[in-house]
Amino acid sequence: MPRRAMRSDWGSVQEIDRGRRYRLRWWQETPDGYKRCSETVRGTRRDAYDRLAEIRLEHSHDAPCPTVGDVWSRWYRPQLQRMVDGGERRASTLYVYDSTWRTCAAPRWADVPCDQVRPLDVQQWLDGLTNSAAGGAMRILRPALDVAVRYGVVDTNVFRERYLMPSRSTTTRQDDGIWTLAQLGETWARIHGAWYESAFLLAGFGGLRVGESLGVRVDDVTDATRDGVPMALVRVERQVGDAGVSETLKTPQSRRTVPVVGRAGLWLLDHARGGGDGGWMTGNGGGEPSVQKTMRRAWMRDGGEHPFRNLRNSWQTWMRWELRVPPYLIEPMMGHVGHDVTSIHYDRPLAEEYADVMAEAYRARPFDHTWDNLGL
């Protein structure tokens, strides 16, 4: 059985027949362009390395082996784009990969020839990253160099070796703080009139994910007021990431209709009747929805106490502990996958039934009746 190729500073030597035959591989300029070449040497291992040294002298000024950056731009990045175009990958995933390549991988590896990537260099590079950055970078470098192996650029993928990843303690703990209902009211009063006010209400009073809150159009909002309880029903049909609009949601259960009661529901209905911003509840002023990056920056600039994504956590908490809505009713409104047979295969509540639950809970605890003094 042929032994694994032995790497040298230039080219490689692979044993075919122990102590008798060796295969040499290297890159050189040919009449047909820069190509990978091979030659079989009969003799000892020393003979094989001597012959490789002779070949190196002949072609030492040829173009170098393709770099990691070449592999990314020529082959792997276009492959990812085709997968996105074919519906196999999400555009948001490609956006994250592009960002990871640009910020973490490219500065160190873009100009390094694939046959000069050394395990020690990889380990030293990983040691200088956080756990999350290292994991993200390796998730794109491993499959990228797999392509290089497939096309014969190198014999082995050095990024597939086992490395010691940085400790998880190098990752900054995320802010998991939430707002109470009273604090949500105060925050709403503070950002009242901001261009992202609709997204704030959809997340904080409807439990939508960040991308979902930006993907709501005015025709997704309908009036479901009943028995004196003001209420808007909001269809969740799409989400918006930094890469743009996507009709693919996190899970099939994420496609749902959510009730928003009280003053927040009234505001959403009024905003929808007014046409929103180019047909979007949260637009960018040019007829398109705002992307998450822009909204997050505005939120932090305006003094957001916690990350915007924590509004969803806050909604779940006050729904359960302040409005006393049972968890089994909250879960489907959040778009979560059920954990029992009934939830997964049988339970299919209608939007009107969600509305009835929220109307009853609001009548029992009308949490925003004292918010007149907030100017809302």
Side-chain angles (χ1 to χ4, degrees):
M1 179 177 178
R3 297 180 64 185
R4 182 177 177 180
M6 301 296 292
R7 297 174 59 87
S8 67
D9 290 337
W10 188 89
S12 66
V13 177
Q14 181 182 19
E15 185 179 72
I16 302 174
D17 187 1
R18 188 174 182 83
R20 295 181 180 181
R21 286 191 304 149
Y22 297 85
R23 180 180 294 115
L24 313 182
R25 287 195 176 98
W26 70 94
W27 286 81
Q28 73 174 57
E29 292 286 357
T30 71
D32 297 323
Y34 189 64
K35 290 188 174 182
R36 196 176 194 219
C37 301
S38 67
E39 178 180 316
T40 299
V41 174
R42 295 180 181 276
T44 65
R45 183 180 298 275
R46 180 183 294 275
D47 294 332
Y49 275 100
D50 287 346
R51 175 55 185 153
L52 184 64
E54 293 175 5
I55 296 171
R56 179 176 185 178
L57 287 175
E58 296 171 9
H59 300 285
S60 60
H61 297 293
D62 288 356
C65 173
T67 65
V68 177
D70 292 333
V71 172
W72 167 266
S73 59
R74 289 184 197 172
W75 299 316
Y76 188 56
R77 177 58 172 75
Q79 174 183 309
L80 291 173
Q81 185 63 59
R82 288 193 296 271
M83 295 175 72
V84 171
D85 295 340
E88 299 176 57
R89 288 285 182 92
R90 296 182 181 180
S92 58
T93 300
L94 181 55
Y95 180 89
V96 172
Y97 282 8
D98 282 339
S99 177
T100 301
W101 167 257
R102 185 175 61 254
T103 59
C104 295
R108 176 61 181 88
W109 301 109
D111 297 326
V112 178
C114 292
D115 62 354
Q116 293 183 25
V117 179
R118 303 284 181 251
L120 179 59
D121 296 334
V122 176
Q123 184 63 68
Q124 291 176 339
W125 168 67
L126 290 172
D127 290 342
L129 301 176
T130 64
N131 180 272
S132 58
M138 293 298 276
R139 275 192 292 274
I140 63 172
L141 288 170
R142 285 169 177 151
L145 265 290
D146 284 343
V147 176
V149 173
R150 183 188 314 142
Y151 293 162
V153 174
V154 288
D155 292 310
T156 58
N157 182 351
V158 176
F159 290 112
R160 287 288 180 189
E161 300 291 342
R162 290 181 177 271
Y163 295 101
L164 294 175
M165 300 299 283
S167 169
R168 292 186 181 276
S169 64
T170 62
T171 302
T172 303
R173 180 176 174 80
Q174 293 185 345
D175 181 349
D176 57 1
I178 61 171
W179 293 267
T180 64
L181 265 174
Q183 291 169 336
L184 280 174
E186 294 169 358
T187 303
W188 182 12
R190 180 171 55 79
I191 61 102
H192 190 44
W195 61 267
Y196 56 81
E197 185 172 4
S198 174
F200 168 82
L201 296 178
L202 289 166
F205 295 91
L208 273 64
R209 299 178 177 93
V210 179
E212 294 170 350
S213 71
L214 296 172
V216 177
R217 294 186 58 85
V218 294
D219 51 5
D220 294 325
V221 181
T222 56
D223 192 343
T225 299
R226 60 197 58 212
D227 300 328
V229 176
M231 186 184 312
L233 281 180
V234 181
R235 291 195 309 274
V236 181
E237 300 284 347
R238 66 196 69 81
Q239 63 178 334
V240 179
D242 290 331
V245 182
S246 173
E247 300 292 333
T248 303
L249 298 177
K250 185 173 183 179
T251 66
Q253 290 77 13
S254 297
R255 199 172 301 277
R256 63 200 188 279
T257 300
V258 177
V260 181
V261 297
R263 295 171 188 257
L266 283 175
W267 189 96
L268 291 171
L269 288 169
D270 186 61
H271 188 58
R273 294 187 187 108
D277 185 348
W280 296 92
M281 292 294 284
T282 306
N284 64 359
E288 298 291 335
S290 175
V291 297
Q292 291 191 33
K293 182 190 300 183
T294 303
M295 196 276 301
R296 285 194 299 266
R297 287 175 177 171
W299 174 252
M300 298 309 295
R301 184 182 63 245
D302 292 346
E305 182 181 2
H306 305 297
F308 194 90
R309 64 176 179 272
N310 291 19
L311 289 169
R312 177 172 160 88
N313 306 57
S314 303
W315 178 86
Q316 192 278 341
T317 302
W318 66 256
M319 280 279 289
R320 179 175 181 179
W321 298 106
E322 297 195 50
L323 259 63
R324 301 290 193 261
V325 178
Y328 76 89
L329 293 173
I330 297 175
E331 291 297 302
M333 282 192 271
M334 297 188 76
H336 285 170
V337 179
H339 298 292
D340 54 58
V341 174
T342 300
S343 299
I344 296 173
H345 297 289
Y346 298 101
D347 197 26
R348 298 289 186 272
L350 300 174
E352 294 298 318
E353 292 168 325
Y354 286 147
D356 290 338
V357 168
M358 287 301 296
E360 182 179 351
Y362 182 80
R363 277 195 297 269
R365 296 176 177 82
F367 57 86
D368 57 1
H369 280 194
T370 61
W371 289 4
D372 287 331
N373 61 331
L374 297 177
L376 299 173

